[in-house]
Amino acid sequence: MTSPVLLILGAGGNVGQSTAKKFAQNGYKIALVARSLENGTSEEGYLTIKGDLAEPECVPKIFKEVQEKLGIPNVVVHSAFAFTWSPENDPLFLPYATMKKEMAVNFESVYLAAQEAVRCFETLSAAAAQGSSSSSSEGIISSLPKVFIFTGNMLNVQTFPAFLSLGLGKTAGAFMVECADIAYSKRGYRFYYADERSEEGGAIGTAINGDAHADMYHELVFGTSASVSASAKKRLPWLITFVKGRGYVYFPRQESNLTLEDLPARDQEVKTS
């Protein structure tokens, strides 16, 4: 029997764990990737892979391992990020070596993950097309949603000078996601940029809610499944802005720039997940 597989890149203890739990409850096999993990199996039965996305060439190897041990991923979530605070009045102070490393996490690994996801989706679609409609296993393959989700924030639409490297990655990733969704949605593959907001539509800051992400991601995936009602299959856009307890909420683009006074408490260390 073919089981659906969720792969989470950058699987931290908040968004990653909440999403994994939500999908496991719906029959998904789970693969988690993070620098902090060890290769093996978690207490919950998830496949765990130690992977540093600052070395994005590891991404195809990760997909291969997941396919060999669990099956072909039909849902891929990329939640990894890296950044160093930039002075508000000197955002270009970052050494090139630091920028290069952070962009490897914030965009290069996203691009490679999306590329590998398409290959997986194509393989699943080809297997369904070649099989007999009377085969229960092939019926499962054909009904599997094929979804890529990039965990974002509002840096793709609003400028925070203090987050230069992260903003560059989110902006590039959002553009890639939009291009991919335009092209591949015709084949039934969806690509989303997911951005949690406050009730007023502002930046969520450090109050990221893992359960809210899990609920939104569940809606995005199961809303594309053939088993849900027509009303639940209302097509959502590639740019998903959502609020805890409310799900998808459209917010108009905010043009004003933000300063350090609008941001969480300053921390000079590089942040990664």
Side-chain angles (χ1 to χ4, degrees):
M1 179 177 177
T2 300
S3 298
V5 177
L6 166 66
L7 168 59
I8 304 177
L9 298 157
N14 191 13
V15 174
Q17 288 296 326
S18 295
T19 302
K21 181 178 179 181
K22 185 82 171 182
F23 278 74
Q25 292 171 345
N26 285 272
Y28 269 67
K29 294 180 180 179
I30 309 296
L32 305 178
V33 180
R35 293 188 310 162
S36 60
L37 295 174
E38 297 298 329
N39 295 320
T41 305
S42 70
E43 294 180 358
E44 299 86 355
Y46 307 153
L47 173 66
T48 58
I49 300 173
K50 186 177 184 64
D52 185 356
L53 298 178
E55 300 175 356
E57 60 271 12
C58 73
V59 171
K61 298 175 184 177
I62 289 170
F63 273 79
K64 181 178 180 181
E65 181 175 350
V66 172
Q67 184 170 342
E68 291 174 346
K69 294 182 177 180
L70 296 184
I72 301 173
N74 65 292
V75 177
V76 177
V77 174
H78 190 296
S79 292
F81 65 92
F83 75 89
T84 301
W85 287 95
S86 300
E88 184 179 279
N89 62 351
D90 188 18
L92 301 181
F93 95 104
L94 282 180
Y96 172 70
T98 301
M99 177 63 75
K100 183 177 180 180
K101 181 177 180 180
E102 294 180 4
M103 286 301 290
V105 178
N106 295 335
F107 178 68
E108 291 179 33
S109 70
V110 183
Y111 178 81
L112 284 169
Q115 193 174 61
E116 290 296 318
V118 169
R119 290 178 180 147
C120 290
F121 301 163
E122 295 282 72
T123 299
L124 289 169
S125 294
Q130 293 172 3
S132 167
S133 60
S134 62
S135 168
S136 60
S137 177
E138 285 146 1
I140 293 171
I141 292 175
S142 63
S143 66
L144 287 178
K146 302 168 184 67
V147 178
F148 179 91
I149 302 171
F150 180 31
T151 302
N153 52 38
M154 67 185 306
L155 286 174
N156 65 308
V157 296
Q158 191 164 33
T159 303
F160 291 73
F163 287 132
L164 180 63
S165 64
L166 187 59
L168 287 171
K170 296 303 184 186
T171 301
F175 184 80
M176 181 206 72
V177 166
E178 181 178 14
C179 291
D181 196 58
I182 290 171
Y184 298 110
S185 61
K186 299 171 184 177
R187 306 183 200 178
Y189 316 155
R190 291 306 311 272
F191 288 76
Y192 297 105
Y193 180 97
D195 169 14
E196 184 183 7
R197 299 285 187 90
S198 68
E199 287 283 350
E200 298 75 27
I204 202 68
T206 58
I208 298 169
N209 188 282
D211 289 339
H213 281 76
D215 290 342
M216 188 71 250
Y217 294 178
H218 180 273
E219 180 181 342
L220 293 177
V221 170
F222 289 89
T224 62
S225 171
S227 63
V228 301
S229 66
S231 61
K233 295 173 77 171
K234 180 180 180 181
R235 182 180 175 85
L236 291 171
W238 67 272
L239 179 58
I240 297 295
T241 48
F242 65 100
V243 175
K244 177 184 175 182
R246 297 174 60 191
Y248 172 69
V249 179
Y250 170 76
F251 292 107
R253 183 185 178 98
Q254 300 183 33
E255 297 295 346
S256 61
N257 297 336
L258 298 185
T259 68
L260 286 176
E261 295 179 356
D262 303 302
L263 302 176
R266 187 179 174 92
D267 184 342
Q268 296 289 348
E269 297 180 358
V270 174
K271 302 296 185 182
T272 62
S273 175

